[in-house]
Amino acid sequence: MPAPPPASVTPPSTPAGSVGPTQAQTDVSAFDIEVRAPDAVRELLERHLELQRYRAVTDLDDAELARLIVLAERNVRNLVGTLGYFSPDIRITQEGSTAQRPKVVVGVTPGEPTQTRSVAIDFSGDVAGSPDADAAAQREEIRRNWRLPIGQRFTQDGWDSAKTQALRGLVARRYPAGRLADSLADIDATTQSANLSLRLDSGPLYRLGPMQVSGIQRYDPLLVPRLARLAPGSVYDQNRLLEAQQRLASSGYFDSAAIFVDPESDPAAAPVQVQVREAPRQKVILGVGITTDGGPRASVEHTHHRVPGIGWRAVTKLQLERKSPFAQTEWTAIPDEGGWRWGALGRAERLDDDELVTRAQRLRFGRSQAGDRIDRNMYLQYDRASVQTKSPTAIADSDTGDGSAISGNYVWTGRYFDSLPFPGKGYGLGFELGGGVTLGSERKPFLRTTGRWLGVKSLTASRLSLRAEAGAVVAADSSRIPGTLLFRTGGDNTVRGYGYRDIGVERANGVTGPGRYMAVGSIEWQRPIRRNGLPTEWEHTLFIDAGSVAERPKDLKPKVGVGTGVRWRSPIGPLQIDVAYGLEPKKLRLHMSVGFVF
């Protein structure tokens, strides 16, 4: 097979009387070149034709130019062959003499393109005879993903790309020392067909050995292996190494991380090399922003990655805004070998929904585990809510959410999206189950549960985003459940077309309070905005949201909002700008938010 043409570059000019590269731009040219061929062939020949080198030789005579024309035919044939044309009709002629600045005309009729007739992919090394089901699956996956299948047009670029992809499929897991042992493209120019064969040598099976960490000074040396979760003895998998690298880089403890395995090391226990660059022990983040739910906001956040004495991380945040200002501190330990970590949280907040003002405090202590797809959380929690109404009419404490309670809770979240924070397909599922007792003069038990689901379905040139959420608190009617454990909905990320927490239970005095049952659903159609036929970073959406809050399931009656909006794939996550019409309030609302959270 002829070698592929070099990458397109812009070379320096060639002085008169010299021989330069094929793409050289001459100061003085001895002859012109005209290529008459289909566009793809013409562009290739104009860039890489060997004759281009001799245009700067100004003292060529007719005999020398004729010799160059004869030699050029082989060069043209090789170049056209890289595009899969192996029986072209080539005519190279000279118009005019060297005394009159001649023109060399290169005419090419490429003929029929060569098609792939057969493909044989063989293996040697451990992967060839391993009884392991994963090795058999890897062989079949490489064959199934072959990029130059039977019936497809053969080109040199396609042949090289297919071999590269096959080798990547081999070294991606189990066999980092794999190599392309042999390859052959047998071309039959008379039938315009190609018989392809290659052999991949996997070498030995690699298993991970001990972890060798460099760059740790400020933090506990146990932090890296516990975040990476690469157990010695496990089979080499490039994706697992990349996921471990991402966990380290996104943990907050490190500014950068790199993980690699040397293919020249012992296959039975290949050392895992980890290089990290530590983040500062402390940092402060100042923020300003605006939301359509809460208006302007300002925040300050302080992080201490290793609190003296206990070694935990402490994140303390103060946020100021009109609707829901809060102060919060959360302390977490480094994870154990199973990925579980202890944590404690304290939070004080003020919620103003224009009718009720809730001042709430929360204390939490428990354990959490953050996995690649699944998060788990178990904790004890104390909640206290003091509620004041802006209405002159009195309202019962049990109706406003004034009270306190202690509860035990379990939270499970699974994320099965193809990519974050811009999912194109997949789904997320989460639920929370808790039980506790109210405090105060009367102590009454209660149960609380919530469930949520988000599905993204890809269509031909668009996609659908479906969302559902439900919650329930089961307790005696007179129980004073804190309002932070009850339900309100409405706003940017729930039911658009309604204000923040506008949807609740309407009490006898006209005040909207929290309820014990909640249901929310949404369907959104998302379509990329195209420019010149290509998708941009912007999308257009149409949506319908519905939600309801009630004291009893039978009283749930949906409040609907419909609207349209745009999405922008910003560097910090999806930016959402929506205009929604609430069917009950009969007015338009603007909604803006940033980020993808599930």
Side-chain angles (χ1 to χ4, degrees), residues 28-223:
V28 178
S29 60
F31 56 89
D32 295 325
I33 297 176
E34 180 182 348
V35 179
R36 298 171 183 173
D39 289 346
V41 176
R42 177 176 52 78
E43 292 173 2
L44 176 72
L45 294 179
E46 287 177 345
R47 289 198 305 268
H48 304 295
L49 191 62
E50 189 75 12
L51 275 174
Q52 299 281 6
R53 298 176 56 201
Y54 297 94
R55 296 180 62 196
V57 183
T58 56
D59 56 352
L60 285 174
D61 58 26
D62 287 337
E64 291 171 329
L65 182 57
R67 183 178 61 85
L68 291 176
I69 289 174
V70 171
L71 296 175
E73 181 176 349
R74 179 179 178 83
N75 176 233
V76 171
R77 192 173 300 278
N78 286 340
L79 287 172
V80 174
T82 65
L83 297 178
Y85 300 105
F86 292 96
S87 54
D89 181 16
I90 302 173
R91 297 172 182 263
I92 306 179
T93 58
Q94 175 184 338
E95 297 180 357
S97 68
T98 54
Q100 301 173 348
R101 185 179 175 85
K103 177 192 293 184
V104 176
V105 179
V106 180
V108 179
T109 302
E112 293 296 322
T114 298
Q115 308 287 329
T116 303
R117 182 167 64 185
S118 66
V119 179
I121 303 177
D122 296 319
F123 299 90
S124 59
D126 180 85
V127 71
S130 174
D132 194 324
D134 190 37
Q138 191 171 7
R139 294 194 301 267
E140 292 307 311
E141 183 180 2
I142 292 172
R143 291 187 173 113
R144 185 173 60 252
N145 294 336
W146 176 250
R147 290 188 173 182
L148 202 58
I150 295 174
Q152 185 167 316
R153 176 180 166 181
F154 176 90
T155 66
Q156 184 65 44
D157 285 345
W159 171 231
D160 291 340
S161 175
K163 291 186 291 184
T164 300
Q165 180 64 23
L167 183 58
R168 285 175 179 169
L170 179 66
V171 302
R173 65 178 194 272
R174 300 173 63 89
Y175 307 109
R179 65 186 183 91
L180 180 63
D182 191 24
S183 66
L184 175 65
D186 185 8
I187 305 299
D188 187 342
T190 59
T191 61
Q192 293 87 40
S193 62
N195 298 299
L196 311 179
S197 63
L198 69 155
R199 180 168 58 87
L200 296 170
D201 181 8
S202 70
L205 172 68
Y206 276 68
R207 294 186 179 275
L208 301 185
M211 186 172 291
Q212 300 174 354
V213 182
S214 60
I216 279 286
Q217 294 179 347
R218 298 189 182 102
Y219 305 125
D220 193 324
L222 293 174
L223 186 62

Side-chain angles (χ1 to χ4, degrees), residues 227-298:
L227 288 174
R229 302 199 295 270
L230 297 173
S234 58
V235 174
Y236 171 88
D237 189 318
Q238 192 176 78
N239 283 336
R240 290 194 59 213
L241 265 62
L242 291 174
E243 290 170 356
Q245 181 174 298
Q246 179 61 30
R247 282 194 294 272
L248 292 173
S250 62
S251 67
Y253 290 100
F254 308 105
D255 288 334
S256 64
I259 302 178
F260 59 93
V261 171
D262 185 0
E264 302 296 327
S265 57
D266 179 12
V272 179
Q273 307 287 337
V274 182
Q275 298 176 351
V276 296
R277 183 162 60 89
E278 294 178 318
R281 194 186 301 268
Q282 300 186 60
K283 68 176 180 180
V284 175
I285 300 175
L286 303 176
V288 293
I290 186 170
T291 66
T292 46
D293 277 346
R297 66 170 54 166

